[in-house]
Amino acid sequence: MAKAPVLTPQADDFPRWYQDLINKAELADNGPVRGTMVIRPYGYGLWERMQQDMDARIKAVGVQNAYFPLFIPQSYLTKEAEHVEGFAPELAVVTHAGGKDLEEPIVVRPTSETIINEYFSKWVQSYRDLPLLINQWANVVRWELRPRLFLRTTEFLWQEGHTAHATQADAQAFASRIQRDVYADFMENVLAMDVVLGRKTVKERFAGAINTLTLEGMMGDGKALQLGTSHELGQNFAKAFQTQYLSKDGAQEHVWQTSWGSTTRMIGALVMMHGDDNGLRVPPRLAHVQVVVLAIKDDEAVVAKVREIGEKLTAAGLRVVVDDRTDTPFGRRAVDWELKGVPLRVEVGPRDLEGGTAMLARRIPGGKEPVALDILDTLLPKVLEEDQARLLQESRERRLARTVEVSTIEEAAEAAATGWARIPWADLGPEGEAKLAEQGVSVRCLVAEDGSVPTADDAPGTVAIVARAY
Amino acid sequence: MAKAPVLTPQADDFPRWYQDLINKAELADNGPVRGTMVIRPYGYGLWERMQQDMDARIKAVGVQNAYFPLFIPQSYLTKEAEHVEGFAPELAVVTHAGGKDLEEPIVVRPTSETIINEYFSKWVQSYRDLPLLINQWANVVRWELRPRLFLRTTEFLWQEGHTAHATQADAQAFASRIQRDVYADFMENVLAMDVVLGRKTVKERFAGAINTLTLEGMMGDGKALQLGTSHELGQNFAKAFQTQYLSKDGAQEHVWQTSWGSTTRMIGALVMMHGDDNGLRVPPRLAHVQVVVLAIKDDEAVVAKVREIGEKLTAAGLRVVVDDRTDTPFGRRAVDWELKGVPLRVEVGPRDLEGGTAMLARRIPGGKEPVALDILDTLLPKVLEEDQARLLQESRERRLARTVEVSTIEEAAEAAATGWARIPWADLGPEGEAKLAEQGVSVRCLVAEDGSVPTADDAPGTVAIVARAY
């Protein structure tokens, strides 16, 4: 039976498919102020699971959560020259409050390095206070001219980590640890996303950093998306805010710092990396709904059975929703859960009951088959782990298939029309990077020949990964 | 040994004691923009535990989390007349963004009824979509002229619930359920706080509500603090935003709504309800650090033992910190943990080890006694539950001891100098309420004779609880 597609097919118009999916899977709506968004319960459920999992990883490396104010005096922003230059065009400014014009305008935080350094400079006195490892979960505002839900929004939710260390080596090691042990580990093992770990070029660095480490993912259309960054700030903010400590030798030293962030953009990445023409596909380890048990029709035995199965699967440790809303047609409900990307559907009708089976629909590989009811609770956890692995493998295979080795700028630009290009950084350099930028193509990151993260831009054998990006 | 007090004694100057404690227990600092605050890791740890516990209770009554934008078009605020009148003086306004002056000023949310109704009016179509039960964890901004950390801050963190129902009876029942099953249950059983559940007078109602339910607590100095509110909004916002549904009978009806909130103010309440001259006392069920195991001095066997005890207690399900920072004097560390209100300290020195014991210091009742090491893991969970109950009992006894029955306005005002007064609402009324207000005394809530929450202001036997308040 041919049916009208629920979403614009990816191949017809990828950006429109994305917008359709966000809307129809009820992930988010556009907010009334340009570029803002309303994250709907199903979308927010994904974010809550991301937060929980990431928060545990952040705490496991010794970081404590805190909360710094939304409002930053404008004068703070100007203390670090590159930082203010980078952020000035994106700021939202409060000029009026409590019924009066303010003497000094207030900036709504675009990021918190400045205000956090103001407090670090009070809290850090001696080497005993280091390392100081702080994270906050917060909203930030950066005025967006070309907003797109989850990917570029005027307000977004994120975590921002800020640390101070006694030595540059410690700061460098910590920034790498966040990139690898927190972000990459989470993205690969929970989000089932293939990511490339690299180092940003000088042009692409965070405003005020001496080094930016990045994680880049390839989306379903071959474009790149930056999924998280971890910066070495050197002593730039420490000098601007006099964040100093008394060393063991009795000398006053500026601290060495890092900052690092990951955002609700990860939800957009989830859609663009794992989605297909039928909707989202949520990795089982992330999913707040792993299994939906559907009553096909309004039959007393069927409804009793789906509730029983729901309890049994919940007891087996799965995250389960029972859908017995039989006043809505089964077909519509099935399409809706498919759109939302719930990994497994257990569908139960009167005929299934007779045979002691249910239909198991697997969203990730696709397909349906009957399964005996009495093995569901032992089978499903295994199926979920299989499908988790499959998603990661698919995304890795896509990147490998769509990445080409090139040696000229022209070839790199051409390859970026459909995927990624790898080109020796020695053959490209900042000049080649500038030429590519004119064509909307950027260096996503630099990697070492063996795939590791280079510790300098000019290390021999460094390769640039070049792509169009969201 | 007489020692200088770490904090200003409560009896000397309660507000200064409060400020000292917040500062020295490292709960929060003042932010650079007037009235804002930095919540430090130890204070934020309390908030995280509050969030976790409350979030589970909110979900248990069927509510889903979502996220609405920080920025609200100014025009939204003006749609509900009482609402804008109530909030206009407290608004922070963004007039400039992305390098340009804005055509329409943007308000930084003081609360989200307006923007949420804009979306409810899109999402709600039929009676099948009701009840719609949404909550968000967010920051809000209300410009404060007389800020005080945690109690009144320009920016604070909170949860705000927003629900839409088909009937007034449903909305009323839900607002009560939040007051009782979510807020009161959490405050009594986790925060160990005695609270009085009542109904606000017309004068004290939320701007735009038809009824405000409240939870009031008595602080250590006899003043009252509003700890949470749950509002029936009637159809006020529904009419302003055209939030309508198609009923089973095929008619277009406006929804009936509730909203309800609890904030970081609960941390201030914790301090003022349970704190003493030695610092905070954290209820064990809330505490993110329930037990600290201290090495008294730098002795290899002692340090090994405290780590071993720490592991054993953690394995017993307790939240434990091991303090083996023997380069800081023991006395200073003990005072610091006392200030922070950690319920139990297990102190281990070389002499204790010889006897196979440790000193157990109980923060809540006070006092120290030796305890055999091998019973710690079975004893401590019981001690913690005992101390949890004791804190609640203390706060209840304080309220009962400091509440008097009066029958005139003069007596009520006098009683409010040291505690609470109960006066028949029929004897006070709105006129008496206005007279008390001139003296800085307010009606905290109305309660029924039997202590239940009245369903109308003029129910016979209604009693007003009158006090000075934070």
Side-chain angles (χ1 to χ4, degrees):
Chain A
M1 183 182 76
K3 53 177 182 176
V6 177
L7 306 174
T8 304
Q10 289 190 338
D12 289 3
D13 185 342
F14 196 86
R16 191 153 158 219
W17 163 84
Y18 178 79
Q19 186 62 49
D20 278 6
L21 192 157
I22 298 286
N23 187 248
K24 294 195 174 166
E26 299 184 345
L27 299 180
D29 277 357
N30 286 305
V33 170
R34 186 180 171 74
T36 61
M37 68 176 158
V38 176
I39 308 179
R40 300 187 66 173
Y42 192 77
Y44 197 77
L46 298 172
W47 180 240
E48 280 184 303
R49 293 273 313 154
M50 288 181 185
Q51 278 192 298
Q52 274 169 34
D53 211 297
M54 186 86 96
D55 194 64
R57 283 160 208 267
I58 289 171
K59 286 177 174 149
V61 295
V63 177
Q64 291 187 296
N65 285 336
Y67 186 78
F68 291 82
L70 173 70
F71 287 159
I72 303 180
Q74 200 169 45
S75 59
Y76 281 30
L77 265 288
T78 60
K79 287 195 185 182
E80 211 291 329
E82 281 187 27
H83 190 68
V84 69
E85 198 186 313
F87 282 103
E90 301 178 2
L91 299 177
V93 186
V94 175
T95 56
H96 187 91
K100 288 185 183 167
D101 288 331
L102 295 172
E103 285 179 24
E104 183 186 351
I106 293 166
V107 165
V108 183
R109 65 177 161 222
T111 180
S112 304
E113 278 76 7
T114 58
I115 195 164
I116 282 178
N117 262 277
E118 178 78 8
Y119 288 85
F120 275 22
S121 69
K122 291 174 189 165
W123 300 342
V124 173
Q125 302 294 332
S126 120
Y127 68 91
R128 282 195 189 85
D129 301 323
L130 298 176
L132 179 57
L133 311 175
I134 298 287
N135 177 62
Q136 77 172 352
W137 292 95
N139 53 347
V140 286
V141 168
R142 299 177 187 177
W143 209 254
E144 275 296 343
L145 296 180
R146 275 174 293 281
R148 192 173 297 186
L149 284 170
F150 291 118
L151 301 178
R152 293 188 176 279
T153 49
T154 293
E155 180 192 10
F156 56 88
L157 305 183
W158 77 345
Q159 61 65 220
E160 50 177 319
H162 297 269
T163 69
H165 306 260
T167 66
Q168 178 166 24
D170 278 0
Q172 193 171 53
F174 199 82
S176 288
R177 194 171 174 196
I178 292 293
Q179 181 193 33
R180 192 184 57 239
D181 298 349
V182 175
Y183 291 163
D185 191 69
F186 170 72
M187 290 170 190
E188 289 177 2
N189 292 315
V190 180
L191 303 185
M193 287 185 183
D194 170 74
V195 285
V196 168
L197 281 64
R199 172 187 172 92
K200 287 285 184 191
T201 61
V202 173
K203 179 173 184 297
E204 300 285 337
R205 251 182 218 157
F206 177 74
I210 61 168
N211 182 24
T212 289
L213 302 174
T214 183
L215 299 100
E216 303 281 328
M218 183 188 280
M219 303 297 108
D221 61 352
K223 285 194 190 177
L225 183 70
Q226 176 182 304
L227 287 162
T229 47
S230 180
H231 315 292
E232 281 180 69
L233 303 177
Q235 297 178 311
N236 290 344
F237 289 91
K239 285 180 179 164
F241 286 85
Q242 292 302 317
T243 313
Q244 290 180 302
Y245 71 98
L246 193 68
S247 75
K248 280 189 187 174
D249 310 329
Q252 282 291 337
E253 307 274 3
H254 288 102
V255 298
W256 294 85
Q257 293 186 276
T258 79
S259 70
W260 29 279
S262 62
T263 79
T264 35
R265 163 180 275 203
M266 288 189 289
I267 299 172
L270 204 70
V271 172
M272 292 200 299
M273 199 175 284
H274 299 319
D276 65 20
D277 284 346
N278 297 319
L280 182 56
R281 296 186 302 168
V282 183
R285 289 192 200 151
L286 178 73
H288 53 304
V289 186
Q290 294 178 309
V291 184
V292 58
V293 187
L294 289 112
I296 293 180
K297 53 188 227 165
D298 186 15
D299 171 294
E300 205 173 318
V302 165
V303 170
K305 184 55 81 177
V306 295
R307 290 179 187 168
E308 183 195 317
I309 295 171
E311 281 169 26
K312 203 170 155 194
L313 294 178
T314 303
L318 301 181
R319 297 184 286 277
V320 182
V321 164
V322 170
D323 181 351
D324 53 9
R325 299 169 300 158
T326 48
D327 54 352
T328 303
F330 169 70
R332 197 193 298 172
R333 289 183 286 137
V335 165
D336 187 55
W337 291 116
E338 197 164 57
L339 265 169
K340 288 188 157 73
V342 171
L344 299 178
R345 299 197 306 278
V346 175
E347 304 174 348
V348 182
R351 254 184 304 176
D352 302 299
L353 278 194
E354 281 168 28
T357 62
M359 288 301 283
L360 176 65
R362 288 169 68 170
R363 180 68 184 88
I364 290 161
K368 274 192 196 192
E369 55 178 359
V371 172
L373 290 177
D374 56 4
I375 63 160
L376 277 176
D377 58 338
T378 50
L379 179 67
L380 266 44
K382 287 177 211 153
V383 169
L384 288 169
E385 277 302 294
E386 241 180 78
D387 291 349
Q388 175 83 26
R390 185 186 301 257
L391 269 187
L392 176 60
Q393 194 189 337
E394 273 185 28
S395 76
R396 182 150 299 157
E397 284 169 2
R398 179 198 300 129
R399 173 176 60 89
L400 294 173
R402 287 196 172 193
T403 300
V404 296
E405 304 280 340
V406 302
S407 55
T408 69
I409 295 174
E410 293 69 29
E411 287 168 346
E414 200 191 316
T418 54
W420 294 5
R422 288 168 47 91
I423 179 169
W425 177 238
D427 293 348
L428 188 64
E431 277 182 41
E433 185 181 20
K435 277 191 194 156
L436 283 174
E438 289 166 14
Q439 303 170 61
V441 176
S442 55
V443 176
R444 303 315 306 156
C445 61
L446 303 176
V447 298
E449 232 164 345
D450 62 0
S452 68
V453 180
T455 51
D457 288 3
D458 52 3
T462 297
V463 173
I465 293 180
V466 163
R468 292 181 183 276
Y470 282 98
Chain B
M1 183 181 76
K3 53 177 183 177
V6 177
L7 306 174
T8 305
Q10 288 190 339
D12 289 2
D13 185 342
F14 197 85
R16 190 152 159 217
W17 164 84
Y18 177 79
Q19 187 62 49
D20 278 6
L21 192 157
I22 298 287
N23 187 248
K24 293 197 175 165
E26 299 185 345
L27 299 180
D29 277 357
N30 286 306
V33 169
R34 185 180 171 75
T36 60
M37 68 175 158
V38 175
I39 309 180
R40 300 186 66 172
Y42 191 77
Y44 197 78
L46 297 172
W47 180 241
E48 281 183 303
R49 294 273 313 154
M50 289 182 185
Q51 278 193 299
Q52 273 169 33
D53 211 296
M54 186 86 95
D55 195 64
R57 282 161 207 266
I58 290 171
K59 285 178 175 150
V61 295
V63 177
Q64 290 187 297
N65 286 336
Y67 186 79
F68 291 82
L70 172 71
F71 287 160
I72 302 181
Q74 200 169 44
S75 59
Y76 280 29
L77 264 288
T78 60
K79 287 194 184 183
E80 212 290 330
E82 282 187 25
H83 190 67
V84 69
E85 199 186 313
F87 282 103
E90 301 179 1
L91 299 178
V93 186
V94 175
T95 56
H96 186 93
K100 287 184 184 167
D101 287 333
L102 296 171
E103 284 179 24
E104 183 186 350
I106 294 166
V107 165
V108 182
R109 65 176 162 224
T111 180
S112 303
E113 279 76 7
T114 59
I115 195 163
I116 283 178
N117 262 277
E118 178 78 7
Y119 289 85
F120 274 23
S121 69
K122 291 174 189 163
W123 300 343
V124 173
Q125 302 294 331
S126 120
Y127 67 91
R128 282 195 188 86
D129 301 323
L130 299 175
L132 179 57
L133 311 175
I134 298 287
N135 177 64
Q136 77 173 351
W137 291 94
N139 53 346
V140 285
V141 169
R142 298 178 187 177
W143 209 253
E144 276 296 343
L145 296 180
R146 276 174 293 281
R148 191 174 298 185
L149 284 170
F150 290 118
L151 301 178
R152 294 188 174 279
T153 48
T154 293
E155 180 192 10
F156 56 88
L157 305 184
W158 77 345
Q159 62 65 220
E160 51 177 318
H162 297 268
T163 70
H165 306 260
T167 67
Q168 179 166 23
D170 278 0
Q172 194 172 51
F174 198 82
S176 289
R177 194 171 175 196
I178 292 294
Q179 181 193 32
R180 193 184 57 238
D181 297 349
V182 175
Y183 291 163
D185 191 69
F186 170 73
M187 289 169 191
E188 288 177 3
N189 292 313
V190 179
L191 302 186
M193 286 184 184
D194 171 74
V195 286
V196 169
L197 281 65
R199 172 187 172 93
K200 287 285 184 192
T201 61
V202 173
K203 179 173 185 295
E204 299 284 337
R205 252 182 217 156
F206 176 73
I210 62 168
N211 182 24
T212 289
L213 302 174
T214 183
L215 299 99
E216 303 281 329
M218 183 188 279
M219 303 298 107
D221 60 352
K223 286 194 189 177
L225 183 71
Q226 176 182 304
L227 288 163
T229 47
S230 180
H231 316 290
E232 281 181 70
L233 303 175
Q235 297 179 311
N236 290 344
F237 289 90
K239 286 180 178 164
F241 286 85
Q242 291 303 315
T243 314
Q244 290 179 302
Y245 73 97
L246 193 66
S247 76
K248 280 189 186 172
D249 309 331
Q252 282 291 337
E253 307 275 4
H254 287 103
V255 299
W256 295 85
Q257 294 185 275
T258 79
S259 70
W260 28 280
S262 62
T263 79
T264 35
R265 163 180 275 202
M266 288 189 289
I267 300 172
L270 205 69
V271 172
M272 292 200 299
M273 200 174 284
H274 299 318
D276 65 19
D277 283 347
N278 296 319
L280 183 56
R281 296 186 302 168
V282 183
R285 290 193 199 148
L286 178 73
H288 53 304
V289 185
Q290 295 177 308
V291 184
V292 58
V293 188
L294 289 113
I296 293 181
K297 52 190 233 170
D298 187 14
D299 170 295
E300 205 172 319
V302 164
V303 170
K305 184 55 83 178
V306 296
R307 289 179 189 170
E308 183 195 318
I309 296 170
E311 280 169 27
K312 202 170 156 195
L313 294 177
T314 302
L318 302 181
R319 296 183 286 277
V320 182
V321 165
V322 171
D323 180 352
D324 54 8
R325 298 169 299 156
T326 48
D327 54 352
T328 303
F330 168 71
R332 197 193 299 173
R333 288 182 288 136
V335 165
D336 187 56
W337 291 115
E338 198 165 56
L339 265 169
K340 287 188 157 72
V342 171
L344 299 177
R345 299 198 307 279
V346 175
E347 304 174 350
V348 183
R351 254 183 304 174
D352 302 298
L353 278 194
E354 282 168 26
T357 63
M359 287 303 280
L360 176 65
R362 287 169 71 170
R363 179 67 183 89
I364 290 162
K368 274 192 195 191
E369 54 180 358
V371 173
L373 290 177
D374 57 4
I375 63 159
L376 279 175
D377 58 338
T378 51
L379 178 67
L380 266 43
K382 287 177 212 155
V383 170
L384 288 169
E385 277 303 294
E386 241 180 77
D387 291 349
Q388 175 83 26
R390 185 186 300 258
L391 269 187
L392 175 60
Q393 194 190 337
E394 272 184 29
S395 76
R396 182 151 297 156
E397 284 168 2
R398 178 197 301 129
R399 173 176 58 88
L400 294 174
R402 288 199 173 190
T403 300
V404 295
E405 305 280 339
V406 303
S407 55
T408 69
I409 296 175
E410 293 67 31
E411 288 168 346
E414 199 191 317
T418 54
W420 294 4
R422 288 167 48 91
I423 179 169
W425 177 238
D427 294 348
L428 187 66
E431 277 180 42
E433 185 181 19
K435 277 190 196 157
L436 284 174
E438 289 165 14
Q439 304 170 61
V441 176
S442 55
V443 176
R444 302 314 306 155
C445 61
L446 303 175
V447 298
E449 232 165 344
D450 63 358
S452 68
V453 181
T455 51
D457 287 4
D458 52 4
T462 298
V463 173
I465 292 180
V466 163
R468 292 183 183 275
Y470 283 97

